[in-house]
Amino acid sequence: MPELPEVEVVKKSLESSIYNLIIKEVRINEPNLRYKIKKREISKLIGSKITKIERRSKYLIFKLSNKMTMLTHLGMTGKFFYEDKKNNKKKTSFYYNLNNHKDIKHDHVLFIFKNNSKLIYNDVRKFGFIKIDKENTIYRNIHLKNLGPEPLKSSFNLDYFRNFIKNKKKKIKDLLMDQKFVAGLGNIYVNEVLFFSKIRPTRSIRTLNKKEMKRIIFFIKKILKKAISKGGSSIKNFENSGGKTGSFQDNFKVYGKLGQKCSNSDCKSYIKKMILAQRASFYCSNCQK
DNA sequence: CGGGACTCCTGAGGGC
DNA sequence: TGCCCTCAGGAGTCCC
């Protein structure tokens, strides 16, 4: 369940390892991810150098020296591993060690570089995807063209919020999950943001006052930043491209905390759970109004 | 246009 | 130990 912070952490760890490497070969073990990978498409990457990696929402965009791009989404369980032969000898690589050896069977795509190091795309549930597109049209791609603002940018602010919800009728949780409103939040961070904002997931956006909107914006930015600084959240499946895990899950106040005492010291309630739009919502019925 | 249901997938975990 | 069931869920698609 990588959301914005996890994808940002993956991006940073990839940047430090694969920039300026030339792709020598692409090996497809399993083409049937969310979208079928065509060998003809992906072979357009061969012979080119990786010049840049961008993140937009939960997507990663790999830019290549031949003006092609690779768009990826990690879905629920997608991971990138970077395997450097030299590091392996020094045993500093976390990949292919005893702990996650069984994961090899979910290595679906291998990018082999000219220096013989490898970038591996591994995805247990195959909800993720890899698509090839031209650099000059990538942001008009169906996945990217309708995305809302990046939550950490200043364009995501109170004016934007008020304007977007004008004449709309929705529950606040549905709004925050809507990628057209703000890009990159998923179920976990929305649960956490609403807890800190003291707003119940089912609240109608029509009833929100200015102060509450400001609070929501504030905590979105604050929680995402903190999660990035902690290396993201590692629940079962998330690791960065070095195989390391994040620790923000230790800061969760409501997500997955059904039945536990509310973390606000002056509150005696317990965390409840309800299903909204087919997804689990955790909240404190005393603190969140 | 909005909202709800359904879909893809596989491992973890619970019940017995 | 093993079988069966449920759950996890991003986002595209379809239908009303």
Side-chain angles (χ1 to χ4, degrees), chain A residues 6-169:
Chain A
E6 291 73 37
V7 180
E8 181 65 22
V9 169
V10 169
K11 183 204 151 188
K12 282 180 180 157
S13 66
L14 284 175
E15 274 176 337
S16 62
S17 42
I18 66 169
Y19 265 22
N20 293 320
L21 295 184
I22 294 168
I23 298 172
K24 184 172 77 176
E25 185 191 342
V26 183
R27 217 173 282 163
I28 304 169
N29 295 334
E30 168 60 270
N32 295 305
L33 304 182
R34 182 178 178 105
Y35 305 110
K36 188 170 180 129
I37 299 175
K38 297 192 185 91
K39 206 177 166 94
R40 182 159 29 91
E41 287 288 309
I42 210 156
S43 60
K44 289 176 183 172
L45 307 178
I46 293 169
S48 285
K49 190 191 281 185
I50 295 178
T51 54
K52 201 166 185 222
I53 304 169
E54 289 171 9
R55 180 193 59 72
R56 175 75 170 108
S57 185
K58 305 168 195 172
Y59 299 89
L60 284 177
I61 300 153
F62 296 73
K63 297 202 164 178
L64 289 135
S65 54
N66 66 350
K67 304 289 178 199
M68 296 302 292
T69 57
M70 179 170 82
L71 176 68
T72 68
H73 193 290
L74 300 173
M76 297 289 301
T77 54
K79 298 179 206 174
F80 277 110
F81 288 105
Y82 179 65
E83 188 193 51
D84 183 338
K85 282 274 183 296
K86 283 172 275 178
N87 283 346
N88 262 354
K89 279 177 196 159
K90 288 182 202 159
K91 293 188 178 178
T92 51
S93 170
F94 292 82
Y95 194 45
Y96 289 154
N97 66 15
L98 214 56
N99 292 333
N100 56 13
H101 185 79
K102 62 182 178 185
D103 276 353
I104 292 171
K105 73 173 174 181
H106 302 296
D107 287 351
H108 304 315
V109 184
L110 282 77
F111 301 87
I112 299 152
F113 298 108
K114 217 172 167 181
N115 69 358
N116 291 321
S117 63
K118 298 184 188 90
L119 178 68
I120 297 158
Y121 181 70
N122 174 296
D123 190 349
V124 173
R125 289 182 216 174
K126 297 192 264 188
F127 271 27
F129 70 77
I130 295 173
K131 277 188 175 180
I132 308 303
D133 204 342
K134 291 192 183 106
E135 186 178 321
N136 58 1
T137 54
I138 186 70
Y139 280 99
R140 277 173 274 164
N141 186 295
I142 181 171
H143 302 285
L144 304 182
K145 67 177 181 184
N146 294 322
L147 290 174
E150 283 289 318
L152 295 177
K153 291 204 169 157
S154 58
S155 55
F156 180 63
N157 55 35
L158 183 64
D159 284 343
Y160 169 79
F161 196 128
R162 298 175 92 172
N163 194 46
F164 188 94
I165 67 170
K166 215 173 271 174
N167 305 320
K168 284 195 173 67
K169 218 177 119 180

Side-chain angles (χ1 to χ4, degrees), chain A residues 250-281:
Chain A
D250 301 336
N251 296 65
F252 287 173
K253 302 292 185 197
V254 286
Y255 183 80
K257 306 283 186 191
L258 175 65
Q260 297 187 31
K261 207 185 153 298
C262 174
S263 62
N264 287 332
S265 55
D266 55 345
C267 176
K268 291 191 171 70
S269 283
Y270 294 86
I271 303 305
K272 291 183 177 162
K273 177 183 172 180
M274 68 168 114
I275 303 295
L276 276 181
Q278 288 94 244
R279 288 182 202 95
S281 290

